Amino acid sequence: MEPYKKRFEIEDDNILNQVIFRFVPYWPLFILLMVLGGAGGFIYLRYAIPVYETSATVLIKDEKKGLDDSKIMESLNIFSSNNLVENEMEVLQSRSLMNGVVDKLHLYAPVFSEGHVRSVSAYTSSPIVIEVTNPDDLDSALGDTKIYFKYDSTRKLVNIENKNYPLNQWVKTSYGVLKFGLNPNIKPTDPQPFYFNLVSPK
């Protein structure tokens, strides 16, 4: 038994030596591939457009259903419950509700931070948000126009095309009547050139 054990150990040592002698001369290539892989991962994480996923649970309550005997059969009606859920789903997906979300969050005036490679959303890094009096009347051509601005936090002024505008006031600009307000979602980041677009909600 002992000779077989020694034989296996010798064979294992031979295999290990063969692997070492075959691949060790290429160790610079392995290091280079590791460096390139790490650099590629860093660049991807730095410039890839982030994708977020969210989910929610909605409780649908039928106010018309009571606890009296006359309503028991109705409350057990599966088809009626399905119709109620389908109706609420249509409401959640309705154009008017989506339009209300766009108006409330001012999504028709997205702000971007201009980088060396590409521009990224400045939803949490822009110092200000932009509001429009009538978003539905926005010119569709403005959606491709980059409107650059600077914010003076000391004087609380927004500068667009060498013109200063105060905060929280409706002001007339070259792009329509706008109002600038402080961004409640801002997080401290490195200062970058900012610009915004005016996109029609339609």
Side-chain angles (χ1 to χ4, degrees), residues 60 65 74-87:
I60 300 175
K65 292 182 179 180
E74 182 181 354
S75 63
L76 296 177
N77 189 337
I78 299 177
F79 297 102
S80 177
S81 299
N82 288 339
N83 290 335
L84 177 62
V85 173
E86 291 175 359
N87 292 339

Side-chain angles (χ1 to χ4, degrees), residues 126-130 151-153 156 158 167-168 179-186:
S126 170
I128 64 168
V129 293
I130 298 92
Y151 176 64
D152 187 342
S153 58
K156 297 187 181 303
V158 178
L167 296 179
N168 303 318
K179 182 165 71 172
F180 305 99
L182 292 177
N183 185 3
N185 304 309
I186 188 172

Side-chain angles (χ1 to χ4, degrees), residues 6-41:
K6 291 182 178 180
R7 179 181 176 184
F8 289 142
E9 291 178 352
I10 293 174
E11 290 180 353
D12 291 342
D13 291 339
N14 291 335
I15 294 175
L16 181 60
N17 290 333
Q18 290 178 8
V19 172
I20 292 176
F21 286 125
R22 177 173 294 183
F23 294 104
V24 163
Y26 301 100
W27 68 266
L29 180 61
F30 294 147
I31 294 179
L32 177 62
L33 291 176
M34 292 177 61
V35 172
L36 292 177

Side-chain angles (χ1 to χ4, degrees), residues 31 53 61 66 73 96 124 130 132 134:
I31 294 179
E53 181 179 353
K61 183 177 180 182
M73 294 305 296
S96 60
T124 58
I130 298 92
V132 180
N134 295 311

Side-chain angles (χ1 to χ4, degrees), residues 162-175:
N162 296 323
K163 294 182 180 179
N164 292 324
Y165 302 98
L167 296 179
N168 303 318
Q169 296 182 25
W170 291 107
V171 292
K172 189 175 182 180
T173 69
S174 303
Y175 306 97

Side-chain angles (χ1 to χ4, degrees), residues 82-142:
N82 288 339
N83 290 335
L84 177 62
V85 173
E86 291 175 359
N87 292 339
E88 293 297 331
M89 289 176 61
E90 290 297 326
V91 171
L92 292 175
Q93 297 174 357
S94 65
R95 180 180 293 271
S96 60
L97 182 61
M98 295 298 101
N99 193 68
V101 172
V102 171
D103 288 345
K104 185 174 182 179
L105 299 180
H106 308 147
L107 300 181
Y108 50 77
V111 183
F112 297 92
S113 175
E114 191 170 58
H116 298 291
V117 178
R118 66 176 182 85
S119 299
V120 296
S121 173
Y123 187 78
T124 58
S125 59
S126 170
I128 64 168
V129 293
I130 298 92
E131 188 174 352
V132 180
T133 51
N134 295 311
D136 292 331
D137 296 335
L138 285 173
D139 187 356
S140 58
L142 290 176

